[in-house]
Amino acid sequence: MTTVTNIGKPLRICGLTKTYETRTGERVEALGPISVEVERGEFLVVVGPTGCGKSTLLQILAGFLEPTDGKALVDGQPITGPSLDRSMVFQNYALFPWLSVLDNVKFGLRRRSIPRRLQHEIALRQLMLVGLLDFADKNIDELSGGMKQRVAIARAFAVDPSVMLMDEPFGALDALTRRFLQRELLHIWREQQRTVVFITHSVSEAIFLADRILVMSARPGRIKAEWRVEAPHPRDVTTDPLRRLENQIYALLDEELAEAFAWERHIGG
């Protein structure tokens, strides 16, 4: 089968901030400033306390939100809106129930200048990679949650993005399905060499997947620390070095949560 090749481009985040205004006119600092450079083909995982701005950061990178200050660039070009060059995978699948599995995967390809026959070949190849080739003609509502997420991953990779953005894609799945899809994702990532920015609450998931882990502070979210994970894939997260890393990250997150709760109690009076 023929496929499209577009090796991941570098991603740069420069002094990015996001401030919201509430209905009462109060300004809430949600994010930043954040500055990060993501290498070509890197698997970057971001963890942090609830409400620290992880998803806000990802939505800015996807072009769904505008930053208050700073900028994000892909291959030196500022992100000014959504683009097929940056595919997004959500926790809730975001599939089209009126389309078949195959047509869901082909959806983004229709916006590219690709012949229909090649669209079909690319979509089938992606379904093969996620183990759903036999389900190509099924309806979305005939699939389990894990299978739906595999369709979402296949659709995201099918459009040949330079950057994959993944917002807790396995968060709603049971432990066994989550473990299976983590391995499937690593297999596709190694084969297609995309740049991935992955958001999760799970420290063990971050350690299992990441080339590099960023830990965000409590709101307003900033980069508190980073670790590069040198262990080769596939990883056994129960080894002593990775257990120590897990404990270090949890200790830092515990500090951030304690500070966040103390601040909320102070504000609450």
Side-chain angles (χ1 to χ4, degrees), residues 138-197:
K138 299 292 186 181
N139 295 324
I140 293 300
D141 60 8
E142 297 180 78
L143 306 183
S144 68
M147 294 167 78
K148 289 176 182 177
Q149 197 59 287
R150 280 191 271 169
V151 175
I153 291 170
R155 182 180 63 183
F157 274 98
V159 295
D160 190 41
S162 63
V163 178
M164 285 286 299
L165 305 170
M166 310 190 79
D167 192 2
E168 296 190 67
F170 309 143
L173 303 175
D174 64 86
L176 288 177
T177 303
R178 185 172 189 154
R179 178 181 170 87
F180 173 77
L181 289 185
Q182 288 168 353
R183 295 178 183 277
E184 289 292 296
L185 176 59
L186 284 175
H187 170 73
I188 299 170
W189 168 69
R190 286 197 298 266
E191 177 169 303
Q192 302 202 7
Q193 293 293 298
R194 298 293 179 261
T195 301
V196 176
V197 181

Side-chain angles (χ1 to χ4, degrees), residues 56-86:
T56 297
L57 172 62
L58 215 63
Q59 289 186 56
I60 291 173
L61 297 182
F64 301 151
L65 289 177
E66 292 185 6
T68 302
D69 199 5
K71 57 187 176 181
L73 306 98
V74 175
D75 197 28
Q77 300 300 312
I79 295 171
T80 57
S83 168
L84 290 176
D85 198 42
R86 284 165 279 114

